[in-house]
Every structure is written in structure tokens, then in C-alpha cells.
Amino acid sequence: MNDLGQDLDLRLVRYFTAVAAHQHFGRAAADLHVAQPALSRQIQRLEKHLGARLLDRVPQGTRLTPAGQAFLPRAQALLQAARQAELAVRDQAGTERITIGYVEDLVITAAVRELRRRHPHAEITTRHLSCRDVGALSDRHVDALIGRAPLPLAADEVLTTPLYEEPRMLVVPRGHPWAGRASVTSEELAGEQAAPCAFETADWTSYQLLGPAVPPAESYEDKLELVASGRAIAVLPAGDLRSSLRPDLVTVPIEGAPASRVVVVSRKRDPNPMIRSFRSAAKASLAPGQGSGVVGVTRPVS
């Protein structure tokens, strides 16, 4: 029996769209910052409410049932309509508000702290984004985004402000011929085959796997596992220290590689005055050694 006499809980709808996007309960739970068993229970609640099974578990993760395929575009439209209604009310209220997105390992605490100092009565929230959340800016789930360029966003639709640059480093497994090197050159890496990635838009991206036959990997942890197992090597920004947490990986500086750029991105012609203020706060506070999370490897961009 379903619960059609009750209102549909948009939180459950959002959980469903996350699982549908990741096609995996574990990755969706991590993205939503909830426990996987709790997420499974919430999806069951939604299925009970609708009176139909929306997701099937398969060895690779999950897949949509026919009912789930029919519900997904409507679920996305519901969430978008709710967001637009919220924004319309906020615009009328005139309250200072901003939601700031950030990706991967970037630390934006200093910029947010500075923005709160400048606007003590504003409503300032942050949201961590995964690589699958590329539509968060255009869908108005965030008002500004800090990430590493290039980002998969249309250049004519966004305003990009450079913050600082980081050199590149190579990550290899212990025992690799390059593991004991003081550095490698970009020319040496030129012969390595790049693994295909749906989000790569340039030859030198911030995160790149190299190898002759690298299987697809979605999460950062899966990519590090491929490197540790000897199936790939990785090019990363030197500011990302997560690979250093694994004793089976070694980092090697890369000479001659273009720097990885950290930028603030916002929608063009967005009237929210808090965006301009945040951009200024980020430029003032995310300089080398001032909240980037990295000391000695970053440099400002003029």
C-alpha cells in the first residue's frame, strides 16, 4: 500500500536522484553525507509512498527500474521547481544569502570566515561537490564555486576569477622506476597514454590517469587504488595531499608542466551582490599559506 494521501517528501526525492546519478548506494551516501543503511531506508520509504520499486541492486551497484526511469525526470523537475520557488522568495525578501560550492580537497574556510566578517548578518552556507555535481552552478544549487580549472562549464555563461596556481606532481606506486627520482619532466610523460575521462577538457587537467589500458574509475579513491596496484600513474596538483596518506604511493615533482589553476566561478549577470564580495574575500584570504591548505607550493595569480 502506498501513502499517496500524504505529501511527497522532497528530501527523499533528492536522495533518490543522488542514487540514480551515482548508480551506487555507497557513493551516493558519501556524497549526501549520510550513512548507507539510512539512505537505503529512506529510499524504501519513498518506494512505499509511491507504491513501486524504483531501484534494483546489481553487482555493479544499482540500476533504475522502469518505474524509476519514469520517475527520475519528474523528480529532477520537482527539485528544480522547489529551488526556483525558494530563490524567488529570497529575492523578494532582500536578505543577503550565498551558497558556496567547493570541490575535491580544496579548503575554503579562510575565505568563508572573511566573508562572514564582512557580512555578519548574512546567511552563508557551503556545499562540497563531487565531479558529478557539475550542474550545481547552472542549476542554482550554489551561487559561486571554487575549483580547479578547467571546469566543464560553458565559458560564455560563467565569470572566472583566478585565485592561485599549484605545480603538478606525479603519483606512482612504490617500486615504480620513477619512484626514486627527484623529478620527472613533462616530455617524459608525453609518451604515456591518457585514460579517457568524461570531464577532461584539456591535455593537462588537474587530475589525470596515465597508462596503456586504464579501466574507468569514478571516485578519487578508486583512482588511487589503480595507481597503487600498478595499473596506472596519476598527474595531480601538488596541493592535493590525499595521496600522501597512503604508504604505498610516492609523489614526484613534474618539471615543465603547466600549473594547475584554482579559480572562483559564478554565473554571468547574477545580481547577487554577495558573489562579488565573496570573490574579493577569496582573493584576499586564499593566497599562499593563507587557507589553501598548502604551504610552499601555491602562488597567487595577478
Side-chain angles (χ1 to χ4, degrees):
M1 179 179 294
N2 61 30
D3 299 320
L4 291 179
Q6 301 178 8
D7 293 333
L8 187 61
D9 188 338
L10 289 181
R11 181 172 59 97
L12 303 184
V13 176
R14 182 166 65 89
Y15 284 178
F16 163 73
T17 60
V19 178
H22 287 280
Q23 298 181 18
H24 194 281
F25 270 92
R27 289 193 288 267
D31 190 20
L32 294 166
H33 304 289
V34 300
Q36 183 174 336
L39 178 60
S40 296
R41 289 193 297 270
Q42 299 303 331
I43 295 299
Q44 290 171 2
R45 282 186 56 199
L46 179 62
E47 291 175 330
K48 180 181 178 182
H49 177 94
L50 296 174
R53 189 168 184 81
L54 302 174
L55 296 159
D56 283 332
R57 292 184 181 271
V58 294
Q60 297 79 15
T62 62
R63 67 183 177 193
L64 292 169
T65 65
Q69 293 174 359
F71 182 58
L72 180 59
R74 293 166 175 82
Q76 293 168 332
L78 279 172
L79 294 174
Q80 180 68 9
R83 178 62 175 165
Q84 292 297 334
E86 179 183 355
L87 290 172
V89 172
R90 289 185 174 187
D91 289 344
Q92 289 296 319
T95 304
E96 289 185 323
R97 290 183 173 89
I98 187 172
T99 300
I100 304 160
Y102 62 103
V103 299
E104 295 295 345
D105 67 308
L106 294 175
V107 179
I108 66 170
T109 308
V112 175
R113 184 186 299 119
E114 173 61 18
L115 186 64
R116 289 196 170 113
R117 186 191 67 79
R118 299 182 184 187
H119 301 270
H121 303 295
E123 181 182 315
I124 301 169
T125 57
T126 60
R127 180 176 177 182
H128 183 264
L129 304 174
S130 72
C131 64
R132 285 186 172 270
D133 295 323
V134 293
L137 188 66
S138 58
D139 292 342
R140 295 181 174 269
H141 295 309
V142 298
D143 302 299
L145 169 66
I146 291 186
R148 289 188 172 92
L151 293 168
L153 301 169
D156 60 343
E157 297 178 359
V158 298
L159 179 63
T160 300
T161 301
L163 293 179
Y164 58 88
E165 294 181 342
E166 296 174 345
R168 312 274 180 163
M169 66 181 180
L170 183 69
V171 180
V172 297
R174 289 196 178 275
H176 190 277
W178 287 342
R181 294 273 295 271
S183 65
V184 297
T185 66
S186 57
E187 288 79 10
E188 289 177 289
L189 293 178
E192 297 288 338
Q193 181 178 347
C197 174
F199 299 108
E200 289 179 1
T201 56
D203 292 336
W204 281 95
T205 58
S206 292
Y207 295 85
Q208 192 171 53
L209 288 179
L210 305 175
V214 182
E218 180 175 305
S219 72
Y220 181 86
E221 291 73 18
D222 289 340
K223 292 174 183 177
L224 289 186
E225 188 61 34
L226 287 174
V227 176
S229 65
R231 304 182 70 183
I233 58 178
V235 174
L236 306 179
D240 190 328
L241 304 181
R242 290 175 291 177
S243 62
S244 65
L245 300 177
R246 295 191 56 148
D248 50 359
L249 298 178
V250 175
T251 60
V252 183
I254 302 175
E255 297 180 3
S260 171
R261 295 184 300 120
V262 177
V263 298
V264 178
V265 181
S266 60
R267 294 179 296 273
K268 281 188 176 179
R269 297 174 292 279
D270 192 317
N272 187 346
M274 291 290 292
I275 297 175
R276 181 189 296 269
S277 186
F278 174 66
R279 192 180 296 117
S280 173
K283 291 185 71 174
S285 59
L286 294 185
Q290 295 185 42
S292 65
V294 185
V295 178
V297 299
T298 60
R299 54 182 179 269
V301 178
S302 58

